[in-house]
Amino acid sequence: MDGLETQFDETIAADQRIEPRDWMPEAYRKTLIRQIAQHAHSEIIGMQPEGNWILRAPSLRRKAILLAKVQDEAGHGMYLYAAAETLGVDREELTEKLIESKQKYSSIFNYPTLTYADIGVIGWLVDGAAICNQVPLCRCSYGPYARAMIRICKEESFHQRQGYELLLAMVNGTDAQREMVQESTNRWWWPSLMMFGPPDADSPNTQQSMAWGIKRHTNDELRQRFVDMTVPQAAALGITLPDPGLVWNEERSAHDYTEPDWTEFKAVIAGSGPCNAQRIAHRRRAHESGSWVREAAVAYAEKQAAKQEAAA
Amino acid sequence: MTKKNWPLYEVFVRGKRGLNHVHVGSLHAADDEMALHNARDVYTRRNEGVSIWVVRADHITASSPGEKDPFFAPAGDKVYRHPTFYAIPEDVPHL
């Protein structure tokens, strides 16, 4: 083993951070690029299901909140693309890979937002699950990713709370509103559980990622944490989680729960979810119809620079 | 038209008066002014700053990580630059 690799291993063993210009194993760099890009794409694609309700949010207050949240998702995407770029890839290249379906994003965003209650449930369950996943990433061994995650986690807390508050308002409303919240919870519960990825036995990269300090907990550990956290929140809303197998296990001091349908998970990842084609088509359209703006900005910048040079 | 990507800028934010500007991340922009506006939208949506610096990433000169030990070695053996190097009797005040 050469000196560079020893230095890398020692930095990881001492729980110190790897920084952009440090030497790192090629597989470490590749794993990070894949994970950070996938994460960035999720933030950007995640703007679509929620953006769907901005015009139809029921009050100016709710519109302003939703608009701020969707803008945050764009910001999170930007933090993450910036972190990925420190590993020697280009944002433009990552966007191309996304719209050519060569890189993935979280399966959750391939489900449609059918009712306004979905906006509340996404904040509560989807952002709640995202927080469970993301808090440990604030201690990720790669410095720029960890720092981006710290910023993101601070903002996610607003996302989750606005969703829960929205649901509280609805469950304290009419019977129809309560039913809407229950129906939405029924649809989002299983896809939310899938957000933690496949069961540990079926997650071949987990061990290496944990050894590198990229991941701090296994998928199943995080999923369990999410279930235990969510049960009392559902009770406070007076909502039933749609799993008859969900019971407290005294011995484990944790809830037993039913596994989501992993066949469905694999199908959605492979591209057959209800909205995969729509999400990518929309992203591609936005990217392509925005190209003249990007080109015009460059032309303007060049013209201004030439003018300044002539004047100097 | 050949495709030209917007250059990369590094962003530094002063959290409040009395603090240094601190590096917060990077972004792409066509020119300096757009970099400043984008930095405001991306990095200060919640009053995180009172002042922003942006600088083209390719204008930054940095020490090389490969030679970090030799580069910083001159400071390594100069313990006499630290106040704790000097033994002063404990009963002498204000030192």
Side-chain angles (χ1 to χ4, degrees):
Chain A
M1 203 192 284
D2 61 14
L4 289 170
E5 190 156 358
T6 312
Q7 218 169 43
F8 173 85
D9 290 343
E10 282 169 1
T11 307
I12 296 285
D15 205 16
Q16 294 224 320
R17 300 291 176 263
I18 304 295
E19 293 296 342
R21 298 169 75 229
D22 289 340
W23 182 91
M24 60 189 86
E26 210 35 47
Y28 177 83
R29 184 187 301 274
K30 273 196 184 141
T31 300
L32 276 169
I33 291 174
R34 186 174 45 91
Q35 182 171 335
I36 300 173
Q38 190 167 319
H39 198 159
H41 297 331
S42 301
E43 301 283 356
I44 296 299
I45 296 289
M47 295 165 75
Q48 292 184 39
E50 294 186 287
N52 182 31
W53 283 91
I54 291 175
L55 293 178
R56 290 175 289 167
S59 65
L60 189 57
R61 178 176 181 267
R62 295 291 175 191
K63 275 193 222 299
I65 292 170
L66 190 52
L67 203 57
K69 180 171 191 283
V70 173
Q71 193 190 0
D72 272 354
E73 310 297 0
H76 296 177
M78 294 302 116
Y79 304 157
L80 289 162
Y81 283 129
E85 287 197 301
T86 64
L87 291 158
V89 285
D90 187 70
R91 188 178 79 190
E92 187 74 14
E93 177 190 330
L94 298 177
T95 302
E96 300 280 334
K97 281 189 173 154
L98 169 65
I99 60 183
E100 281 160 19
S101 297
K102 287 179 183 159
Q103 279 178 342
K104 297 189 188 310
Y105 55 89
S106 176
S107 60
I108 193 85
F109 301 116
N110 289 314
Y111 292 88
T113 41
L114 302 178
T115 71
Y116 181 65
D118 288 5
I119 297 306
V121 171
I122 285 177
W124 172 39
L125 293 181
V126 176
D127 292 322
I131 291 172
C132 279
N133 266 331
Q134 291 173 351
V135 167
L137 287 173
C138 296
R139 293 184 295 120
C140 169
S141 62
Y142 187 58
Y145 191 27
R147 292 191 287 272
M149 291 319 304
I150 291 171
R151 302 183 69 86
I152 289 174
C153 283
K154 275 188 196 158
E155 300 182 355
E156 287 289 350
S157 167
F158 141 61
H159 295 182
Q160 196 189 18
R161 290 172 65 107
Q162 67 81 32
Y164 197 80
E165 188 230 41
L166 189 165
L167 296 178
L168 271 176
M170 287 186 85
V171 297
N172 289 314
T174 64
D175 282 345
Q177 286 175 314
R178 269 186 293 277
E179 275 162 34
M180 213 190 234
V181 174
Q182 182 64 59
E183 187 275 335
S184 175
T185 305
N186 293 351
R187 273 185 291 115
W188 289 97
W189 174 250
W190 302 108
S192 299
L193 288 184
M194 293 175 195
M195 284 177 70
F196 299 92
D200 293 348
D202 201 15
S203 176
N205 300 326
T206 293
Q207 283 316 315
Q208 180 60 75
S209 280
M210 286 179 76
W212 276 331
I214 296 174
K215 246 173 130 160
R216 300 284 176 171
H217 306 279
T218 72
N219 296 352
D220 286 333
E221 281 167 15
L222 292 169
R223 192 167 11 248
Q224 180 72 57
R225 187 177 296 178
F226 171 70
V227 170
D228 293 336
M229 194 179 90
T230 306
V231 168
Q233 295 170 349
L237 287 172
I239 289 294
T240 312
L241 295 172
D243 177 6
L246 184 60
V247 284
W248 177 250
N249 182 327
E250 195 67 51
E251 224 169 274
R252 290 198 307 122
S253 280
H255 292 86
D256 290 337
Y257 62 93
T258 311
E259 293 279 318
D261 179 356
W262 293 115
T263 328
E264 176 182 318
F265 173 73
K266 280 178 190 151
V268 175
I269 291 279
S272 331
C275 299
N276 296 55
Q278 180 190 337
R279 299 288 186 243
I280 290 296
H282 185 84
R283 183 69 192 92
R284 175 187 289 278
R285 196 162 53 239
H287 185 63
E288 286 172 359
S289 48
S291 72
W292 73 268
V293 179
R294 294 191 292 276
E295 283 163 22
V298 171
Y300 176 78
E302 279 170 355
K303 200 169 145 188
Q304 292 303 111
K307 255 192 202 168
Q308 261 183 359
E309 211 166 304
Chain B
M1 181 174 172
T2 51
K3 199 166 77 178
K4 270 189 206 145
N5 290 338
W6 292 353
L8 187 68
Y9 283 81
E10 297 296 336
V11 182
F12 301 80
V13 172
R14 183 199 294 285
K16 57 180 182 187
R17 288 179 173 278
L19 297 181
N20 288 319
H21 284 77
V22 173
H23 181 242
V24 292
S26 61
L27 50 77
H28 288 276
D31 58 31
D32 297 355
E33 201 188 333
M34 186 196 277
L36 214 44
H37 282 127
N38 287 359
R40 177 199 60 192
D41 292 345
V42 176
Y43 292 104
T44 61
R45 285 194 302 283
R46 289 177 175 76
N47 304 314
E48 290 94 335
V50 294
S51 162
I52 301 176
W53 289 347
V54 290
V55 58
R56 285 269 299 254
D58 55 10
H59 290 174
I60 292 178
T61 308
S63 62
S64 149
E67 56 174 23
K68 68 180 171 193
D69 291 339
F71 190 73
F72 295 105
D77 58 356
K78 296 178 179 60
V79 281
Y80 47 85
R81 284 180 176 169
H82 297 276
T84 46
F85 178 72
Y86 303 94
I88 307 283
E90 271 186 33
D91 50 0
V92 181
H94 306 303
L95 262 175

